[in-house]
Amino acid sequence: MSSIPDDLQYTATHEWVRVLSGGVVEVGITDHAQHALGDLVFVEAPELARRVAARESYGVVESVKAASDLFSPVAGEIMAVNEELASAPERINQDPYGAGWIARIRPDDAASLSTLLSAAEYGKLLETQGD
Amino acid sequence: MPQAAVPPETLEVPPCPDLTGGFMGRETPLFELHRSLGARLIDFGGWSLPLHYASQIEEHHAVRRSAGVFDVSHMGIVDVRGPDARVLLETLLANDVGKLRSAGQALYSCMLNESGGVVDDLIVYFVGTEHGYRMVVNGATRSGDLAWIRRHAAGRRIEILERTDLALLAVQGPLARERVASLLAHGAAGVADTADAPPTASATATTGATDGGELALSLEPFHARSIGRWFVARTGYTGEDGFEVMMPAAEAEEAWRRLNALGVASCGLGARDTLRLEAGLNLYGHDMDQSTHPYESGLGWTVALEPRDRRFVGRTALEAVAAAGSPRKLVGLVLDDRGVLRAHQKVSIPEEGPGRGANAGGHAGVGAHAGEGIVTSGTFSPTLQRSIALARVPAATAAHVQVEIRGRALNARVVKPPFVRHGRPLIS
């Protein structure tokens, strides 16, 4: 059973969102996603200051098995990327909600966060997908 | 092409993971064991098999550094015996079974269609004059292979028997042989009770060995023999030493658990794929198939055009290719830029010479192109910590190529496989 921290929000494409101070959100992929992908070996991070739309592919993670798109949970601007993942993509497997964070985004519209899934809703989604 | 010492036994590539789980295909005798070990099961050519148990990369390293065990019972084991068995295999196989002179020898070969395309690749073991040959073929192709073999056997004095009663475990790694020998020395395979045993390829008389463990350890590379109820072959698909062991299906689970208890790691098809690619071994259906011939698949070394009077299926087509020279070849690639090579990515071949753009910084469309190729298998190499691939490219391809990954042209070097062998990197 995957870990789904209560204090985060989620998307149906298995991303998580943490609201930081100063109106910036931190995003990554969920424990379920890293487990399904297997050992991660490569992360293609977005460029700083890039503008992304909600649900737009802003990067790629590759495991030994396959490549998967990263979808931005919100529309906004990329403020930071986790540089450590370039040399240590396994951080995502080891600590998907902590050291394995992928990017920090300044949302165009803070209200858009209300459309994301709660931990309970994401947990239900996984159940219906047979996790 | 390289070494014949550890040619491939064969396998299809794992498909992408099924994120929803739930597929249930044909089951090997070890299916329940895999489930109890927490394996992630995938659809693999219609079979439900483990992709990995925990970390695929750790399973890979276990085989390079100590030992791992794989369930490859989906592969087809086909016994061919009778007075015309040898003639049939001389007709069906592009390599020459005439090279198998003493019982226990093994040979890697392609089976071709009339156009020279590869119907399958396989290992054939010469069990003995009385007992004929045993072939191990790919799981995904086994039913087609059997139909093909039976068609060519029609009217001949041949018995063809698919051994669905046997499980096949591959135990691979520097410590693998010792671990299997330990099982055999402690009564596995009923070595002490040989009354109902299948034929023994080489008797104890030739080695002086008295227990099953010693018999196994005395096997030369690419040789096999029956030991009690088991058929033990010193073959594999990982670039490491080890055994492939055929045994009665009912004995497989206990053998697996005893190997685990001796420190042999349970390994899935994911690690099997990264290991075989590092070892530079082809995967049927990816690196070659019915539409490609051995000379453009890195398998020219397995085609025996001598003796000239051996009229095997596909010979005429291959003679024409051999005379004209194959316009394409299969090479190894090492990605110099960051990323992961994958099957079906496009390979561009820059013109060699001064001012060529191969190292100009990874932009598509730099310089004139001498042609195009395609990645047939690619992955991240856990041993080398960078991406490697096999690719089919124009014969004139030299030292550098570019591979298109998500719209960008990344730089790769052309190398001669294998990439890794016996735990050691062979490329810089």
Side-chain angles (χ1 to χ4, degrees):
Chain A
M1 191 62 202
S2 314
S3 154
I4 308 173
D6 283 337
D7 59 335
L8 305 180
Q9 290 175 284
Y10 301 88
T11 68
T13 48
H14 310 288
E15 276 91 15
W16 58 260
V17 177
R18 174 183 286 124
V19 179
L20 304 176
S21 59
V24 171
V25 299
E26 188 169 81
V27 300
I29 65 170
T30 65
D31 186 40
H32 169 82
Q34 69 78 19
H35 189 256
L37 290 166
D39 293 317
L40 290 169
V41 294
F42 177 68
V43 177
E44 191 175 295
E47 286 156 31
L48 285 179
R50 174 176 160 187
R51 300 203 53 79
V52 292
R55 293 179 294 280
E56 179 185 347
S57 168
Y58 72 93
V60 173
V61 288
E62 298 209 32
S63 70
V64 272
K65 298 179 281 202
S68 297
D69 283 316
L70 295 166
F71 297 102
S72 179
V74 294
E77 180 183 350
I78 304 289
M79 304 302 289
V81 297
N82 187 350
E83 306 282 357
E84 195 197 358
L85 298 180
S87 57
E90 65 273 17
R91 292 283 175 277
I92 296 174
N93 294 114
Q94 294 160 347
D95 188 8
Y97 300 112
W101 67 276
I102 291 169
R104 292 183 183 136
I105 301 173
R106 182 184 299 284
D108 292 340
D109 175 10
S112 65
L113 297 176
S114 65
T115 62
L116 298 170
L117 304 176
S118 68
E121 287 165 335
Y122 181 64
K124 275 204 192 91
L125 180 81
L126 292 188
E127 275 173 37
T128 61
Q129 293 184 355
D131 178 50
Chain B
M1 267 303 286
Q3 37 82 30
V6 187
E9 137 281 289
T10 49
L11 178 82
E12 322 79 276
V13 87
C16 291
D18 173 10
L19 293 181
T20 60
F23 168 82
M24 291 296 142
R26 290 179 72 180
E27 295 170 8
T28 75
L30 290 164
F31 177 77
E32 288 302 332
L33 175 72
H34 299 319
R35 291 226 306 195
S36 73
L37 292 174
R40 172 173 288 272
L41 295 159
I42 53 153
D43 172 8
F44 194 75
W47 292 78
S48 194
L49 284 166
L51 183 60
H52 55 84
Y53 298 82
S55 162
Q56 177 177 327
I57 287 178
E58 287 309 310
E59 292 170 17
H60 178 107
H61 290 320
V63 172
R64 288 273 177 257
R65 296 165 186 169
S66 57
V69 57
F70 303 83
D71 178 13
V72 285
S73 304
H74 62 298
M75 298 187 72
I77 303 169
V78 182
D79 287 345
V80 180
R81 56 178 80 166
D84 295 338
R86 178 165 159 173
V87 174
L88 172 71
L89 296 181
E90 284 174 346
T91 306
L92 279 178
L93 302 184
N95 210 337
D96 182 11
V97 287
K99 293 175 183 172
L100 301 177
R101 295 207 171 82
S102 60
Q105 288 182 309
L107 184 75
Y108 172 71
S109 182
C110 292
M111 187 158 69
L112 306 177
N113 59 30
E114 290 291 353
S115 322
V118 183
V119 171
D120 204 359
D121 68 329
L122 55 89
I123 287 181
V124 56
Y125 301 94
F126 182 40
V127 185
T129 312
E130 184 186 348
H131 301 286
Y133 299 85
R134 168 166 289 178
M135 302 201 296
V136 176
V137 304
N138 279 297
T141 46
R142 61 194 266 184
S143 60
D145 286 359
L146 267 171
W148 179 260
I149 294 164
R150 290 209 161 98
R151 207 176 97 204
H152 287 85
R156 289 176 160 145
R157 295 165 299 163
I158 291 169
E159 183 190 358
I160 295 165
L161 188 62
E162 189 181 17
R163 297 298 302 269
T164 52
D165 56 316
L166 300 178
L168 176 49
L169 304 191
V171 190
Q172 302 277 297
L175 302 181
R177 291 167 61 233
E178 286 172 41
R179 297 295 179 262
V180 173
S182 171
L183 259 59
L184 288 164
H186 292 89
V191 175
D193 173 25
T194 52
D196 59 346
T200 295
S202 302
T204 56
T206 60
T207 62
T210 51
D211 80 48
E214 287 177 43
L215 276 174
L217 290 175
S218 69
L219 276 170
E220 296 290 325
F222 235 60
H223 281 67
R225 66 151 54 93
S226 290
I227 300 176
R229 293 181 298 270
W230 293 8
F231 185 83
V232 180
R234 193 169 170 191
T235 49
Y237 191 49
T238 61
E240 298 299 322
D241 206 344
F243 290 135
E244 294 177 293
V245 186
M246 296 163 223
M247 62 180 67
E251 296 179 26
E253 181 167 339
E254 191 192 343
W256 189 288
R257 289 191 187 281
R258 288 178 64 186
L259 286 166
N260 282 164
L262 292 171
V264 178
S266 298
C267 295
L269 298 175
R272 192 169 166 76
D273 191 51
T274 52
L275 288 159
R276 70 92 192 169
L277 193 46
E278 285 186 353
L281 300 172
N282 285 23
L283 175 61
Y284 188 79
H286 289 248
D287 304 309
M288 74 291 199
D289 59 26
Q290 298 249 12
S291 69
T292 52
H293 56 70
Y295 294 121
E296 61 189 348
S297 307
L299 297 174
W301 62 278
T302 71
V303 176
L305 291 178
E306 303 284 341
R308 293 187 184 186
D309 59 352
R310 189 174 67 91
R311 305 307 307 178
F312 62 87
V313 178
R315 179 182 184 109
T316 307
L318 286 194
E319 281 176 339
V321 177
S326 172
R328 301 189 295 176
K329 61 181 179 181
L330 197 74
V331 297
L333 299 182
V334 178
L335 189 64
D336 286 329
D337 291 328
R338 292 183 66 247
V340 184
L341 299 167
R342 305 279 186 193
H344 313 302
Q345 288 165 352
K346 197 169 81 179
V347 180
S348 354
I349 291 84
E351 299 279 8
E352 293 288 330
R356 74 184 157 75
N359 290 320
H363 298 290
V366 175
H369 285 174
E372 281 186 0
I374 192 144
V375 173
T376 55
S377 290
T379 193
F380 176 81
S381 159
T383 304
L384 301 174
Q385 290 290 305
R386 51 174 50 194
S387 186
I388 59 171
L390 296 175
R392 183 167 284 112
V393 296
T397 304
H400 297 277
V401 298
Q402 293 187 319
V403 182
E404 189 179 318
I405 303 180
R406 291 187 286 277
R408 290 192 297 160
L410 302 186
N411 293 305
R413 269 181 298 144
V414 177
V415 299
K416 185 178 179 182
F419 303 90
V420 179
R421 192 151 150 70
H422 292 156
R424 286 188 307 117
L426 299 181
I427 56 144
S428 56

